[in-house]
Amino acid sequence: MILYDYFRSSAAYRVRIALNLKKIAYTQIPVDLVQGAQRNRDYLLKNPQGLVPLLEDDGQLIHQSIAICEYLDEKVTEPSIIPTDINERAMMRSIVGMIASDIHPINNLRVLNYLSDEVGVTGEQRKAWYRHWMLVGLESLEEFLSASNKTGDFSIGDQPTLADICLIPQLYNAQRFKIETDQLKVIKRIESNCQNIDAFSRAHPDENI
Ligand SMILES: N[C@@H](CCC(=O)N[C@@H](CS)C(=O)NCC(=O)O)C(=O)O
């Protein structure tokens, strides 16, 4: 499989974790987002959205990190990253939505660049925007996890799922932007459990420069 990747992309980081958990060998093709390589013509032909990640499997292109992770889960069924229990699966999808639909997109590079270049916000205002939406999202996720009797060593139960695959890269973003998260006790415990898993640590941006 080929992963069009960028080491600091948290959406690509999700897919690296899933590939590692599934023990799938893959080749990385870097797409340098800072240099604007996502908008090169050849890349846009593969992914008209101009975003990473993109997965190529046997000539088939799969777009969007969550769709890619679900594809991988269907292709290589063990270990499963999607709970079999209907209620746990619903909880997993809720967490995936909180992170991948509500926190991540509004803090994406192209949104931040639009704020700076087109709306004219200052560097400080741009940082405040990022910090605000990150904390609004993570604090409500912390409450959600604390209130659930399904939360265990990981977001749902005692095995990592797609929820954790979304959570860990989001926490990396928070750390990168120096946003304090120590007060989020349940989230920090889950983070530390994930960090002990080789599939997560090998997917970390520092290991993929
Ligand atoms: N919903 C997409 C989001 C992908 C995405 O936002 N990727 C970011 C990096 S994390 C990107 O390619 N940004 C390029 C840009 O903003 O120009 C997914 O889950 O794959």
Side-chain angles (χ1 to χ4, degrees):
M1 291 193 193
I2 298 170
L3 177 65
Y4 293 85
D5 194 5
Y6 182 63
F7 73 109
R8 271 193 181 141
S9 156
S10 52
Y13 185 179
R14 294 172 193 156
V15 175
R16 294 197 299 266
I17 299 170
L19 284 161
N20 292 345
L21 282 169
K22 300 284 183 184
K23 295 190 170 42
I24 299 172
Y26 65 101
T27 302
Q28 285 160 292
I29 297 192
V31 179
D32 190 330
L33 300 186
V34 176
Q35 299 293 325
Q38 70 275 31
R39 291 185 295 276
N40 286 350
R41 205 178 60 94
D42 286 352
Y43 187 69
L44 287 175
L45 285 174
K46 288 184 186 285
N47 186 354
Q49 272 198 300
L51 299 171
V52 293
L54 170 68
L55 188 79
E56 196 169 332
D57 182 23
D58 241 341
Q60 176 80 27
L61 295 172
I62 300 134
H63 305 79
Q64 288 283 338
S65 63
I66 305 306
I68 297 171
C69 290
E70 288 181 353
Y71 171 83
L72 294 173
D73 196 60
E74 287 166 17
K75 181 128 191 176
V76 176
T77 50
E78 293 296 329
S80 178
I81 54 173
I82 298 181
T84 46
D85 176 81
I86 185 174
N87 294 308
E88 292 188 354
R89 204 157 58 239
M91 178 170 172
M92 183 214 78
R93 289 188 175 125
S94 304
I95 297 170
V96 169
M98 287 178 202
I99 298 170
S101 304
D102 295 339
I103 307 178
H104 179 269
I106 49 176
N107 281 346
N108 200 356
L109 182 63
R110 62 183 180 172
V111 172
L112 299 177
N113 285 346
Y114 187 84
L115 285 174
S116 303
D117 302 343
E118 305 295 331
V119 182
V121 306
T122 65
E124 279 314 305
Q125 288 170 322
R126 175 175 156 141
K127 273 190 216 147
W129 166 284
Y130 194 101
R131 185 189 155 73
H132 174 77
W133 294 117
M134 178 75 82
L135 281 175
V136 163
L138 288 180
E139 282 166 0
S140 47
L141 176 59
E142 172 75 10
E143 277 185 44
F144 181 82
L145 291 169
S146 308
S148 171
N149 60 10
K150 294 187 176 47
T151 305
D153 289 342
F154 297 92
S155 297
I156 301 128
D158 294 327
Q159 295 297 325
T161 65
L162 191 46
D164 307 297
I165 288 175
C166 289
L167 176 60
I168 298 309
Q170 200 57 47
L171 293 173
Y172 164 77
N173 285 347
Q175 188 196 17
R176 222 182 117 210
F177 282 78
K178 302 190 177 16
I179 298 168
E180 187 56 69
T181 54
D182 284 353
Q183 72 284 14
L184 308 172
K185 299 290 180 216
V186 179
I187 286 179
K188 292 310 272 186
R189 176 169 55 76
I190 295 168
E191 182 187 33
S192 138
N193 291 333
C194 290
Q195 280 166 344
N196 287 331
I197 298 176
D198 181 62
F200 280 81
S201 49
R202 277 191 296 115
H204 191 279
D206 292 349
E207 304 296 319
N208 290 273
I209 298 174

